[in-house]
Amino acid sequence: METELGQDIGFDAGPGLFKKPKVVGIYGVAGCGKTFLLDQLKQRMDLELFSFHDGSKVIDIVTPGGLKAFQDMEEPQQLMYRQRAIDGIRADCFDNQKVGIVAGHAMLWSDEEGKALPIYTQNDLDVFTHILYLDVPADIVAQRRLEDTGKVRSVLTAAQLDEWKKEEKTQLRGLCRDHDILFLALHYPFQTDKVSAFLKDFEVHSEDYNLSLARKKARKCLTATGIGQRIVLSMDADRTLAAEDTGMLFWTAASKKWPSLADANTLRTLFGGSLGYSYTAFRQATLLCEEIASDQDFEEICRDVASQVSMYPDIISLLHYMAEQDHLELVVITSGLRFVWEKVLEREGLSKAITIVGGGRIADGLIVTAAVKAHLVGFLRERHGRFVWAIGDGPLDLPMLNKADRAIVIVGEELTRSKQMDAELKTAIDDHGLQAYQVTLPSTASPRNGLPNARLTDSSVVSNIMGHRWTHSRPQVTHATDTSATKLLATPMRNSAVAGPELREAHRRVGHHLATTFVADIIGLEQPPIQHVLGRETRGYQLQHEKKTTIVALMRGGEPMASGVNDAFPHAMFVHAKDPGDVKMHHLEGQLTLILVDSVINTGKSIVDFIQYVRNELHATIHVVVVAGVVQAKCVTGSDGGTLVQQLASFARVHIVALRLSETSFVGSRQTDTGNRLFNTTHLP
């Protein structure tokens, strides 16, 4: 095999026989600092892995008579030696198994034409795998060119240099996308250490390397304990966990922050081009994020984007419910921005329960394509023996959905969901045998054709996902029996002389106290914007997802205390219910928390009836918080947890909050019945 500088070494000898070497071009207008950067990198980088080439010096070597003779040649001859130079670099990189770093030009200024003209060759486009473009302000380049007396250059104005730079950068960006070359513009000032980090990433990264990183991250979700089949719930993120596309939101925000650098349609242009949704396209998307934003700016925009994302309530409830099951493992495999979804899940209290496989920055190490999603589902099934449920919404998720044991297709609003999904879904069903449920979110969205409908809050669907197994956990009980506040608050409730409006007010105060002191801690708080008294905008506090909370007053004794709870959470829905059937589907649809309020819990039968009805008939995963003034101690204490706790052991995500526990059995009638005392009906038969 010929490996002399400038000789062809036969890269097309056969599929898989030769691996194309990685060659990185460092481009920019003359005077931008390419040679200086090349020398700096040469001093810092591992010369066992990288080789460094000054394009002009290579041309000087391969051209008879050297660079002077080359400059005197006609254009066709110059083209031949430029091709020979880049072919020689490729041969050197292949022969020595190194990544080549080449400083050169794609265009040169023509005084005769009064503009920059292209000098790149087809061989350049065939050889280069990456291009780093040094984007230095034209006025700085102009000054450097004047001060550099070691080179003979024509005198160009800053305006001419800027025109050259813009044209060269625009042409290179388009050429790179058409030839599977990754492109990254480095904006001045650029740090050598940062450039070194990019080059080290270029050296190791490949589709195989990417898969190995994805597998390593996916393994982190494998935490299930206990015996029996372990189940993985594998989910896409954008337009699956929420209606929003975080990538689009990111670039919209970036275009507002840096209108000269970022375009709101960046992703649509990239993925709609010749690269499609390939490995190279997703790598390019990562480099575009690196190009426009520092790490700090990137995270700032991601936090802003995360604040705009509202996860579907049914998804939130399902994930919280699943997180309490010992045999279930949760993983988000997203082609979107990992940091955004990390913040979204953190806000919802789910970040510790869910592993995220995703990228967005070079430091993340990986990108997620449709093939990666499918590969990881197969990896979890075949290598680790997991039963995998997959949830996704669009064409990029179909390979993953096909690979899973069971699949759910999220169907969003018709205006925002994928338009090509219908055709590709039909192909997946007809040609690949896809069997899946579809879930419309919100429930008012129109379904797609060809799939059976399901609700994520349906008890049978939840049971299927969990493999008809439950981790039995006792409801958590919180009470304040011995506190000074309780003694003060309970006194009018126990005082036989207090009845009617005065007693109702006492119950209302207890409801407000329990809501602000205990329920708020259990559910959590969020910070909505408010107008400060000094006229500036600031942040206040309210119950987490307060508008998606339903307070149910168990009539009639629970109504005054429930009013106090509602005073603390004024945006919550308020429902009166004497029997479980009084709570309807529309009271809980799209809700995240149900607060059941009663003044007294004696045996707990009413509470059990309500929770069983809600969980079995209306919403299988909703968070239930029971609030009561007094709870009979035997219901919630003892070595067995108490009778009420035992009866609720099969229901996850249930909390009981009481002002106090009492050993007294509350079998009231007439004067002692709380309901009669509250409404002055003790005299009635």
Side-chain angles (χ1 to χ4, degrees):
M1 181 186 302
E2 296 288 345
T3 58
E4 293 289 332
L5 198 61
Q7 298 295 315
D8 194 345
I9 61 170
F11 283 85
D12 299 321
L17 184 58
F18 297 111
K19 184 178 180 182
K20 180 180 179 180
K22 294 178 181 178
V23 182
V24 182
I26 297 181
Y27 282 175
V29 301
C32 69
K34 298 185 294 295
T35 303
F36 177 80
L37 178 60
L38 194 72
D39 290 339
Q40 290 289 307
L41 292 170
K42 191 172 182 179
Q43 294 174 30
R44 295 170 184 241
M45 306 292 287
D46 186 347
L47 298 182
E48 293 295 317
L49 298 175
F50 297 90
S51 61
F52 295 86
H53 311 268
D54 184 314
S56 296
K57 291 180 180 179
V58 177
I59 289 176
D60 184 63
I61 293 172
V62 301
T63 305
L67 190 59
K68 179 66 171 64
F70 173 85
Q71 291 170 341
D72 293 335
M73 291 177 180
E74 296 295 327
E75 187 176 324
Q77 287 180 295
Q78 288 184 342
L79 175 63
M80 179 181 68
Y81 287 111
R82 285 195 177 99
Q83 291 173 332
R84 187 170 294 180
I86 192 63
D87 288 345
I89 292 171
R90 174 175 61 174
D92 179 72
C93 294
F94 178 83
D95 192 46
N96 294 292
Q97 293 296 290
K98 294 182 180 181
V99 174
I101 313 297
V102 184
H105 291 284
M107 304 181 77
L108 285 175
W109 186 266
S110 169
D111 290 328
E112 184 179 341
E113 296 285 340
K115 62 180 180 180
L117 299 177
I119 61 167
Y120 60 83
T121 71
Q122 182 60 46
N123 297 47
D124 293 322
L125 300 176
D126 293 338
V127 170
F128 283 116
T129 54
H130 305 74
I131 296 291
L132 296 180
Y133 192 85
L134 306 191
D135 191 343
V136 182
D139 56 339
I140 293 177
V141 176
Q143 187 62 35
R144 285 180 179 176
R145 287 167 64 94
L146 289 174
E147 295 172 353
D148 186 0
T149 58
K151 293 183 179 180
V152 179
R153 294 189 175 114
S154 57
V155 178
L156 297 179
T157 66
Q160 289 172 316
L161 289 167
D162 193 54
E163 179 187 335
W164 177 359
K165 181 184 68 172
K166 289 179 178 177
E167 182 63 24
E168 187 172 44
K169 191 166 65 170
T170 299
Q171 286 201 27
L172 277 174
R173 197 183 293 277
L175 288 166
C176 285
R177 293 191 183 181
D178 290 340
H179 292 83
D180 280 8
I181 302 170
L182 293 173
F183 180 90
L184 172 62
L186 298 172
H187 299 291
Y188 181 86
F190 30 82
Q191 298 176 338
T192 306
D193 287 344
K194 185 73 171 177
V195 179
S196 298
F198 288 136
L199 294 175
K200 290 174 183 177
D201 172 80
F202 297 165
E203 190 267 327
V204 299
H205 217 283
S206 66
E207 291 192 65
D208 288 341
Y209 176 81
N210 190 64
L211 284 176
S212 71
L213 284 180
R215 288 193 296 268
K216 182 178 180 180
K217 289 187 179 290
R219 284 194 193 98
K220 293 182 179 179
C221 82
L222 304 179
T223 58
T225 60
I227 60 174
Q229 177 74 64
R230 296 172 189 183
I231 299 170
V232 170
L233 186 59
S234 170
M235 299 159 281
D236 174 44
D238 293 332
R239 300 199 188 282
T240 294
L241 303 184
E244 293 83 8
D245 183 319
T246 61
M248 296 296 186
L249 290 176
F250 176 90
W251 283 99
T252 298
S255 67
K256 293 176 181 177
K257 188 177 181 69
W258 305 295
S260 63
L261 293 177
D263 182 348
N265 293 315
T266 290
L267 295 183
R268 188 175 289 110
T269 301
L270 173 62
F271 294 121
S274 58
L275 293 177
Y277 289 92
S278 64
Y279 163 82
T280 302
F282 279 101
R283 283 281 285 168
Q284 184 61 66
T286 299
L287 292 180
L288 286 168
C289 287
E290 295 284 355
E291 184 175 311
I292 65 161
S294 66
D295 292 341
Q296 182 177 345
D297 288 334
F298 175 81
E299 292 185 1
E300 180 184 329
I301 294 178
C302 284
R303 288 190 179 92
D304 177 59
V305 169
S307 70
Q308 300 175 52
V309 175
S310 298
M311 287 180 64
Y312 291 121
D314 290 359
I315 294 282
I316 296 174
S317 291
L318 179 72
L319 295 182
H320 274 293
Y321 195 88
M322 298 298 172
E324 295 191 8
Q325 307 303 312
D326 290 342
H327 64 293
L328 277 168
E329 298 156 330
L330 309 177
V331 59
V332 167
I333 307 175
T334 176
S335 299
L337 300 171
R338 176 199 57 80
F339 191 79
V340 169
W341 285 104
E342 187 177 283
K343 293 304 166 187
V344 172
L345 293 177
E346 184 180 284
R347 185 185 68 218
E348 300 299 342
L350 288 162
S351 58
K352 293 181 179 178
I354 300 176
T355 299
I356 302 178
V357 179
R361 299 293 275 181
I362 288 293
D364 288 317
L366 60 80
I367 51 96
V368 176
T369 64
V372 170
K373 293 183 179 187
H375 175 85
L376 290 183
V377 167
F379 172 72
L380 293 170
R381 289 183 64 205
E382 296 154 17
R383 181 73 64 86
H384 291 281
R386 270 28 181 194
F387 187 94
V388 179
W389 280 80
I391 303 180
D393 74 291
L396 289 182
D397 301 317
L398 282 173
M400 173 179 74
L401 299 174
N402 267 311
K403 196 77 172 177
D405 293 287
R406 297 286 188 275
I408 295 174
V409 176
I410 300 298
V411 180
E413 296 280 13
E414 202 160 354
L415 287 176
T416 58
R417 69 196 191 197
S418 170
K419 304 298 185 292
Q420 66 188 83
M421 182 60 168
D422 284 323
E424 298 204 22
L425 186 59
K426 185 177 187 305
T427 300
I429 295 170
D430 295 344
D431 298 349
H432 303 291
L434 173 67
Q435 295 183 348
Y437 296 109
Q438 67 171 322
V439 172
T440 55
L441 293 176
S443 61
T444 53
S446 58
R448 297 188 188 273
N449 296 324
L451 293 176
N453 297 321
R455 289 188 303 114
L456 293 179
T457 57
D458 187 277
S459 59
S460 63
V461 173
V462 175
S463 179
N464 280 334
I465 294 174
M466 297 198 305
H468 306 285
R469 294 160 55 202
W470 287 265
T471 298
H472 296 283
S473 58
R474 293 178 176 180
Q476 298 181 42
V477 179
T478 302
H479 67 92
T481 303
D482 298 321
T483 67
S484 296
T486 293
K487 292 171 183 176
L488 290 171
L489 289 166
T491 295
M493 296 169 64
R494 301 172 66 202
N495 187 345
S496 63
V498 176
E502 186 179 356
L503 183 58
R504 292 199 296 273
E505 175 60 21
H507 277 239
R508 187 199 64 77
R509 288 197 299 268
V510 168
H512 189 276
H513 173 70
L514 294 177
T516 55
T517 306
F518 301 111
V519 177
D521 282 343
I522 291 169
I523 298 174
L525 300 178
E526 60 190 12
Q527 293 183 271
I530 61 171
Q531 195 69 23
H532 195 276
V533 291
L534 297 178
R536 57 184 172 83
E537 187 175 280
T538 185
R539 293 276 176 176
Y541 292 90
Q542 66 183 30
L543 189 70
Q544 179 86 340
H545 298 301
E546 188 172 305
K547 292 181 180 180
K548 298 188 181 304
T549 299
T550 298
I551 300 168
V552 174
L554 273 62
M555 298 301 290
R556 63 182 170 158
E559 198 273 343
M561 196 170 293
S563 294
V565 175
N566 201 188
D567 288 344
F569 311 140
H571 299 108
M573 184 189 300
F574 193 94
V575 178
H576 295 89
K578 183 177 182 181
D579 300 306
D582 293 336
V583 182
K584 306 298 183 182
M585 180 69 76
H586 61 265
H587 293 140
L588 300 184
E589 189 170 19
Q591 300 296 85
L592 289 167
T593 305
L594 168 64
I595 302 177
L596 295 172
V597 187
D598 204 354
S599 57
V600 177
I601 296 177
N602 188 20
T603 65
K605 182 180 182 305
S606 295
I607 294 297
V608 171
D609 289 346
F610 268 90
I611 293 176
Q612 286 180 337
Y613 171 74
V614 166
R615 285 288 181 80
N616 293 333
E617 303 297 330
L618 302 180
H619 197 311
T621 59
I622 196 167
H623 185 194
V624 178
V625 181
V626 178
V627 175
V630 186
V631 175
Q632 193 179 87
K634 70 178 182 179
C635 288
V636 294
T637 60
S639 59
D640 57 2
T643 55
L644 176 58
V645 169
Q646 288 181 60
Q647 292 179 77
L648 296 177
S650 61
F651 296 105
R653 305 190 71 213
V654 175
H655 288 79
I656 299 172
V657 176
L659 182 67
R660 64 187 182 92
L661 305 183
S662 175
E663 301 294 336
T664 304
S665 178
F666 304 100
V667 186
S669 61
R670 295 192 181 181
Q671 285 84 0
T672 61
D673 179 75
T674 300
N676 285 327
R677 291 177 58 223
L678 283 166
F679 298 99
N680 286 331
T681 55
T682 55
H683 62 286
L684 296 178

